[in-house]
Amino acid sequence: MTAEPLADFLNRARVRVDEALARILPTPPACPAIVSDAMRYSVFAGGKRLRPILTLAAADAVTRAGHTRVGDTRVGHRFSGAGASADAGADAGADPDPLRLALPAACAIELIHTYSLIHDDLPAMDDDTLRRGRPTLHVVYGDGIAILAGDGLHAEAFTLLATAPALDDPETLRRKLRVLWLIGSAAGPAGMVGGQAIDLQAAGQAPGHPLTLDADGLRGMHARKTGALIRASAVSGAIMAGAADDLVAAMDGYATEVGLAFQIVDDILDVESDPATLGKSTGKDAAGAKPTYPALFGLDRSRALAADCLERAHATLTAAGLTGGWLGPIAEWVVRRKS
Ligand code: GRG
């Protein structure tokens, strides 16, 4: 177990990700000011940064466990700016900071997550007016610019994955390609897009009869809609840090449990919390008669199911020898969070 409290790691990771995101996002004259402003409005609206935190924590955990394969020496591109180098040390030899290799993937996933929230809030989808404690992007900029800002973030994510870290040794290129494939699959029709489509069908917002989801159907929808990107977050951190295949598989198992717990808690908070605490509308699931864990199982059983996920997440970390970092405390945070 690390001596650093979780809150300190979360703050450190958030600062690092935010500094990198600020460098990455294009500004005029590279892109029109309105697109730049709209993308930044949503990216810097105060999200928890759970996904990039998972990426960095996963990279840290496999490095601590000493199961990495090949050492890497330097990182370039836009990640060589002040924020990245300041806490990376000046040593040009063996990289003292394994998180640097995972930082581009962490940022790319946050860009994709933010794009998905912007599109989800549109009138054609969930039609919401509050997100991250602010009016949603389309309320401020209109539907057209909101769609384009989401598209822009999505494209920037893959540009970033292709170009950073700017190392051309075969091992780094192999990891980058694997992570590109992983994140593309998680965000696409087999993952998040597919899950959102099932959600629309279940809500009666797609052609044909509304889908009725039983417990397996609900779990399957969430595994795609939110679970896939959460899994990709942790797994890409492990891959970029050079984890051996057995450790990558363990990371996937851990993150699958965290992803399901995240969604169960999200459903519970939609019932129990309020917009001021959550920064988004509440009570929408019940109002829309959406299939949720509390609707299917009740609140008490839903809490027990989330606790089961947490137990399995810890067991996976223990079996893989990954208990030395922040992954365990992060799983606890996901289950006990209030926002
Ligand atoms: C539009 C292709 C497309 C997909 C949208 C993820 C998603 C699919 C929609 C989000 C709708 C939603 C509120 C789902 C519940 C779980 C969730 C993703 C909550 C928001 O994630 P947090 O809590 O948000 O990590 P912050 O703002 O903290 O980043």
Side-chain angles (χ1 to χ4, degrees):
M1 170 61 85
T2 168
E4 184 182 19
L6 176 66
D8 290 358
F9 173 71
L10 297 183
N11 287 338
R12 202 156 55 86
R14 283 182 185 126
V15 167
R16 194 155 180 186
V17 167
D18 284 1
E19 286 177 355
L21 287 170
R23 283 197 302 278
I24 293 157
L25 285 170
T27 49
C31 79
I34 194 164
V35 181
S36 168
D37 293 348
M39 291 192 300
R40 283 168 189 268
Y41 175 91
S42 289
V43 169
F44 296 111
K48 290 184 288 298
R49 307 289 193 232
L50 166 65
R51 294 152 191 81
I53 283 167
L54 270 174
T55 307
L56 298 183
D60 170 77
V62 299
T63 306
R64 281 170 192 271
H67 290 304
T68 55
R69 295 176 43 166
V70 181
D72 297 281
T73 53
R74 61 204 160 77
V75 178
H77 190 61
R78 283 169 285 186
F79 285 87
S80 58
S85 56
D87 60 339
D91 187 355
D95 194 335
D97 181 5
L99 273 56
R100 286 203 298 179
L101 288 175
L103 189 57
C107 291
I109 288 172
E110 184 64 19
L111 296 177
I112 292 170
H113 169 59
T114 305
Y115 122 70
S116 82
L117 298 181
I118 294 169
H119 282 196
D120 184 66
D121 289 334
L122 287 166
M125 297 245 190
D126 212 27
D127 192 11
D128 223 320
T129 56
L130 184 67
R131 171 68 66 185
R132 292 177 164 173
R134 291 181 174 189
T136 46
L137 190 63
H138 67 272
V139 167
V140 179
Y141 283 84
D143 293 1
I145 292 296
I147 291 168
L148 291 173
D151 292 342
L153 293 174
H154 196 185
E156 275 300 312
F158 288 96
T159 304
L160 178 61
L161 289 170
T163 52
L167 299 170
D168 57 6
D169 63 282
E171 174 59 22
T172 307
L173 290 175
R174 192 188 68 83
R175 292 181 199 172
K176 281 170 63 175
L177 203 54
R178 202 169 158 198
V179 164
L180 255 168
W181 169 83
L182 176 76
I183 295 176
S185 313
M192 184 176 73
V193 166
Q196 181 77 349
I198 295 171
D199 195 345
L200 288 178
Q201 286 182 300
Q205 288 177 256
H209 285 295
L211 278 184
T212 304
L213 299 180
D214 60 10
D216 282 346
L218 182 65
R219 195 173 53 243
M221 176 185 77
H222 288 315
R224 293 180 193 275
K225 188 175 134 178
T226 49
L229 205 58
I230 288 176
R231 280 172 62 196
S233 303
V235 173
S236 57
I239 291 172
M240 288 312 297
D245 286 347
D246 56 341
L247 223 59
V248 171
M251 196 64 75
D252 196 18
Y254 157 83
T256 301
E257 300 298 344
V258 170
L260 181 55
F262 174 88
Q263 189 57 56
I264 296 171
V265 171
D266 206 74
D267 285 357
I268 294 172
L269 291 175
D270 189 70
V271 177
E272 290 191 326
S273 192
D274 55 83
T277 309
L278 276 189
K280 62 180 182 180
S281 311
T282 52
K284 288 201 75 177
D285 294 340
K290 284 198 167 190
T292 64
Y293 278 88
L296 240 62
F297 296 101
L299 282 168
D300 286 346
R301 179 90 186 105
S302 297
R303 284 189 204 100
L305 289 170
D308 290 347
C309 292
L310 182 58
E311 205 176 301
R312 289 192 297 268
H314 280 307
T316 305
L317 294 178
T318 303
L322 283 172
T323 49
W326 290 280
L327 292 173
I330 288 172
E332 301 273 347
W333 166 51
V334 163
V335 171
R336 306 199 197 295
R337 72 195 168 99
K338 299 290 174 216
S339 67

mmCIF file with all atom_site columns, all heavy atoms in Angstrom, residues 87-100:
data_model
loop_
_atom_site.group_PDB
_atom_site.id
_atom_site.type_symbol
_atom_site.label_atom_id
_atom_site.label_alt_id
_atom_site.label_comp_id
_atom_site.label_asym_id
_atom_site.label_entity_id
_atom_site.label_seq_id
_atom_site.pdbx_PDB_ins_code
_atom_site.Cartn_x
_atom_site.Cartn_y
_atom_site.Cartn_z
_atom_site.occupancy
_atom_site.B_iso_or_equiv
_atom_site.pdbx_formal_charge
_atom_site.auth_seq_id
_atom_site.auth_comp_id
_atom_site.auth_asym_id
_atom_site.auth_atom_id
_atom_site.pdbx_PDB_model_num
ATOM 1  N N   . ASP A 1 87  ? 7.374  17.237 -13.329 1.00 0.00 ? 87  ASP A N   1
ATOM 2  C CA  . ASP A 1 87  ? 7.331  16.176 -12.338 1.00 0.00 ? 87  ASP A CA  1
ATOM 3  C C   . ASP A 1 87  ? 7.919  14.878 -12.890 1.00 0.00 ? 87  ASP A C   1
ATOM 4  O O   . ASP A 1 87  ? 7.754  13.822 -12.323 1.00 0.00 ? 87  ASP A O   1
ATOM 5  C CB  . ASP A 1 87  ? 5.909  15.957 -11.817 1.00 0.00 ? 87  ASP A CB  1
ATOM 6  C CG  . ASP A 1 87  ? 4.954  15.566 -12.895 1.00 0.00 ? 87  ASP A CG  1
ATOM 7  O OD1 . ASP A 1 87  ? 5.242  15.831 -14.066 1.00 0.00 ? 87  ASP A OD1 1
ATOM 8  O OD2 . ASP A 1 87  ? 3.907  15.003 -12.583 1.00 0.00 ? 87  ASP A OD2 1
ATOM 9  N N   . ALA A 1 88  ? 8.612  14.978 -13.999 1.00 0.00 ? 88  ALA A N   1
ATOM 10 C CA  . ALA A 1 88  ? 9.192  13.772 -14.572 1.00 0.00 ? 88  ALA A CA  1
ATOM 11 C C   . ALA A 1 88  ? 10.670 13.664 -14.256 1.00 0.00 ? 88  ALA A C   1
ATOM 12 O O   . ALA A 1 88  ? 11.299 12.659 -14.556 1.00 0.00 ? 88  ALA A O   1
ATOM 13 C CB  . ALA A 1 88  ? 9.005  13.771 -16.086 1.00 0.00 ? 88  ALA A CB  1
ATOM 14 N N   . GLY A 1 89  ? 11.253 14.701 -13.668 1.00 0.00 ? 89  GLY A N   1
ATOM 15 C CA  . GLY A 1 89  ? 12.673 14.650 -13.371 1.00 0.00 ? 89  GLY A CA  1
ATOM 16 C C   . GLY A 1 89  ? 13.482 14.983 -14.610 1.00 0.00 ? 89  GLY A C   1
ATOM 17 O O   . GLY A 1 89  ? 12.983 14.910 -15.728 1.00 0.00 ? 89  GLY A O   1
ATOM 18 N N   . ALA A 1 90  ? 14.727 15.318 -14.424 1.00 0.00 ? 90  ALA A N   1
ATOM 19 C CA  . ALA A 1 90  ? 15.527 15.777 -15.557 1.00 0.00 ? 90  ALA A CA  1
ATOM 20 C C   . ALA A 1 90  ? 16.371 14.655 -16.147 1.00 0.00 ? 90  ALA A C   1
ATOM 21 O O   . ALA A 1 90  ? 17.087 14.847 -17.106 1.00 0.00 ? 90  ALA A O   1
ATOM 22 C CB  . ALA A 1 90  ? 16.432 16.913 -15.107 1.00 0.00 ? 90  ALA A CB  1
ATOM 23 N N   . ASP A 1 91  ? 16.297 13.474 -15.544 1.00 0.00 ? 91  ASP A N   1
ATOM 24 C CA  . ASP A 1 91  ? 17.120 12.363 -15.996 1.00 0.00 ? 91  ASP A CA  1
ATOM 25 C C   . ASP A 1 91  ? 16.726 11.931 -17.398 1.00 0.00 ? 91  ASP A C   1
ATOM 26 O O   . ASP A 1 91  ? 15.601 11.537 -17.649 1.00 0.00 ? 91  ASP A O   1
ATOM 27 C CB  . ASP A 1 91  ? 16.914 11.200 -15.011 1.00 0.00 ? 91  ASP A CB  1
ATOM 28 C CG  . ASP A 1 91  ? 17.859 10.055 -15.299 1.00 0.00 ? 91  ASP A CG  1
ATOM 29 O OD1 . ASP A 1 91  ? 18.591 10.131 -16.293 1.00 0.00 ? 91  ASP A OD1 1
ATOM 30 O OD2 . ASP A 1 91  ? 17.844 9.102  -14.499 1.00 0.00 ? 91  ASP A OD2 1
ATOM 31 N N   . ALA A 1 92  ? 17.659 11.964 -18.321 1.00 0.00 ? 92  ALA A N   1
ATOM 32 C CA  . ALA A 1 92  ? 17.355 11.577 -19.697 1.00 0.00 ? 92  ALA A CA  1
ATOM 33 C C   . ALA A 1 92  ? 17.568 10.088 -19.922 1.00 0.00 ? 92  ALA A C   1
ATOM 34 O O   . ALA A 1 92  ? 17.425 9.597  -21.019 1.00 0.00 ? 92  ALA A O   1
ATOM 35 C CB  . ALA A 1 92  ? 18.206 12.379 -20.670 1.00 0.00 ? 92  ALA A CB  1
ATOM 36 N N   . GLY A 1 93  ? 17.938 9.363  -18.880 1.00 0.00 ? 93  GLY A N   1
ATOM 37 C CA  . GLY A 1 93  ? 18.152 7.933  -19.030 1.00 0.00 ? 93  GLY A CA  1
ATOM 38 C C   . GLY A 1 93  ? 16.847 7.187  -18.870 1.00 0.00 ? 93  GLY A C   1
ATOM 39 O O   . GLY A 1 93  ? 15.831 7.590  -19.406 1.00 0.00 ? 93  GLY A O   1
ATOM 40 N N   . ALA A 1 94  ? 16.838 6.087  -18.114 1.00 0.00 ? 94  ALA A N   1
ATOM 41 C CA  . ALA A 1 94  ? 15.609 5.306  -17.923 1.00 0.00 ? 94  ALA A CA  1
ATOM 42 C C   . ALA A 1 94  ? 14.516 6.225  -17.395 1.00 0.00 ? 94  ALA A C   1
ATOM 43 O O   . ALA A 1 94  ? 14.746 7.018  -16.480 1.00 0.00 ? 94  ALA A O   1
ATOM 44 C CB  . ALA A 1 94  ? 15.879 4.191  -16.931 1.00 0.00 ? 94  ALA A CB  1
ATOM 45 N N   . ASP A 1 95  ? 13.325 6.152  -17.987 1.00 0.00 ? 95  ASP A N   1
ATOM 46 C CA  . ASP A 1 95  ? 12.241 7.068  -17.634 1.00 0.00 ? 95  ASP A CA  1
ATOM 47 C C   . ASP A 1 95  ? 11.858 6.891  -16.167 1.00 0.00 ? 95  ASP A C   1
ATOM 48 O O   . ASP A 1 95  ? 11.430 5.818  -15.769 1.00 0.00 ? 95  ASP A O   1
ATOM 49 C CB  . ASP A 1 95  ? 11.032 6.777  -18.529 1.00 0.00 ? 95  ASP A CB  1
ATOM 50 C CG  . ASP A 1 95  ? 10.008 7.907  -18.444 1.00 0.00 ? 95  ASP A CG  1
ATOM 51 O OD1 . ASP A 1 95  ? 9.993  8.594  -17.410 1.00 0.00 ? 95  ASP A OD1 1
ATOM 52 O OD2 . ASP A 1 95  ? 9.257  8.070  -19.407 1.00 0.00 ? 95  ASP A OD2 1
ATOM 53 N N   . PRO A 1 96  ? 12.016 7.938  -15.340 1.00 0.00 ? 96  PRO A N   1
ATOM 54 C CA  . PRO A 1 96  ? 11.667 7.808  -13.934 1.00 0.00 ? 96  PRO A CA  1
ATOM 55 C C   . PRO A 1 96  ? 10.172 7.913  -13.714 1.00 0.00 ? 96  PRO A C   1
ATOM 56 O O   . PRO A 1 96  ? 9.708  7.819  -12.582 1.00 0.00 ? 96  PRO A O   1
ATOM 57 C CB  . PRO A 1 96  ? 12.385 8.994  -13.294 1.00 0.00 ? 96  PRO A CB  1
ATOM 58 C CG  . PRO A 1 96  ? 12.439 10.027 -14.370 1.00 0.00 ? 96  PRO A CG  1
ATOM 59 C CD  . PRO A 1 96  ? 12.499 9.281  -15.683 1.00 0.00 ? 96  PRO A CD  1
ATOM 60 N N   . ASP A 1 97  ? 9.424  8.141  -14.780 1.00 0.00 ? 97  ASP A N   1
ATOM 61 C CA  . ASP A 1 97  ? 8.015  8.459  -14.623 1.00 0.00 ? 97  ASP A CA  1
ATOM 62 C C   . ASP A 1 97  ? 7.176  7.636  -15.608 1.00 0.00 ? 97  ASP A C   1
ATOM 63 O O   . ASP A 1 97  ? 6.888  8.087  -16.701 1.00 0.00 ? 97  ASP A O   1
ATOM 64 C CB  . ASP A 1 97  ? 7.825  9.957  -14.878 1.00 0.00 ? 97  ASP A CB  1
ATOM 65 C CG  . ASP A 1 97  ? 6.392  10.376 -14.714 1.00 0.00 ? 97  ASP A CG  1
ATOM 66 O OD1 . ASP A 1 97  ? 5.563  9.531  -14.316 1.00 0.00 ? 97  ASP A OD1 1
ATOM 67 O OD2 . ASP A 1 97  ? 6.095  11.542 -15.005 1.00 0.00 ? 97  ASP A OD2 1
ATOM 68 N N   . PRO A 1 98  ? 6.779  6.414  -15.210 1.00 0.00 ? 98  PRO A N   1
ATOM 69 C CA  . PRO A 1 98  ? 6.045  5.548  -16.147 1.00 0.00 ? 98  PRO A CA  1
ATOM 70 C C   . PRO A 1 98  ? 4.687  6.120  -16.529 1.00 0.00 ? 98  PRO A C   1
ATOM 71 O O   . PRO A 1 98  ? 4.135  5.755  -17.562 1.00 0.00 ? 98  PRO A O   1
ATOM 72 C CB  . PRO A 1 98  ? 5.877  4.251  -15.346 1.00 0.00 ? 98  PRO A CB  1
ATOM 73 C CG  . PRO A 1 98  ? 6.014  4.662  -13.919 1.00 0.00 ? 98  PRO A CG  1
ATOM 74 C CD  . PRO A 1 98  ? 6.976  5.802  -13.895 1.00 0.00 ? 98  PRO A CD  1
ATOM 75 N N   . LEU A 1 99  ? 4.157  7.025  -15.712 1.00 0.00 ? 99  LEU A N   1
ATOM 76 C CA  . LEU A 1 99  ? 2.839  7.578  -16.026 1.00 0.00 ? 99  LEU A CA  1
ATOM 77 C C   . LEU A 1 99  ? 2.869  8.425  -17.298 1.00 0.00 ? 99  LEU A C   1
ATOM 78 O O   . LEU A 1 99  ? 1.843  8.615  -17.934 1.00 0.00 ? 99  LEU A O   1
ATOM 79 C CB  . LEU A 1 99  ? 2.325  8.432  -14.859 1.00 0.00 ? 99  LEU A CB  1
ATOM 80 C CG  . LEU A 1 99  ? 1.569  7.677  -13.767 1.00 0.00 ? 99  LEU A CG  1
ATOM 81 C CD1 . LEU A 1 99  ? 2.382  6.541  -13.187 1.00 0.00 ? 99  LEU A CD1 1
ATOM 82 C CD2 . LEU A 1 99  ? 1.120  8.622  -12.676 1.00 0.00 ? 99  LEU A CD2 1
ATOM 83 N N   . ARG A 1 100 ? 4.061  8.913  -17.669 1.00 0.00 ? 100 ARG A N   1
ATOM 84 C CA  . ARG A 1 100 ? 4.129  9.751  -18.874 1.00 0.00 ? 100 ARG A CA  1
ATOM 85 C C   . ARG A 1 100 ? 3.720  8.978  -20.122 1.00 0.00 ? 100 ARG A C   1
ATOM 86 O O   . ARG A 1 100 ? 3.132  9.532  -21.042 1.00 0.00 ? 100 ARG A O   1
ATOM 87 C CB  . ARG A 1 100 ? 5.544  10.287 -19.075 1.00 0.00 ? 100 ARG A CB  1
ATOM 88 C CG  . ARG A 1 100 ? 5.876  11.377 -18.086 1.00 0.00 ? 100 ARG A CG  1
ATOM 89 C CD  . ARG A 1 100 ? 6.960  12.252 -18.605 1.00 0.00 ? 100 ARG A CD  1
ATOM 90 N NE  . ARG A 1 100 ? 8.200  11.521 -18.830 1.00 0.00 ? 100 ARG A NE  1
ATOM 91 C CZ  . ARG A 1 100 ? 9.303  12.093 -19.305 1.00 0.00 ? 100 ARG A CZ  1
ATOM 92 N NH1 . ARG A 1 100 ? 9.301  13.359 -19.624 1.00 0.00 ? 100 ARG A NH1 1
ATOM 93 N NH2 . ARG A 1 100 ? 10.394 11.378 -19.469 1.00 0.00 ? 100 ARG A NH2 1
#
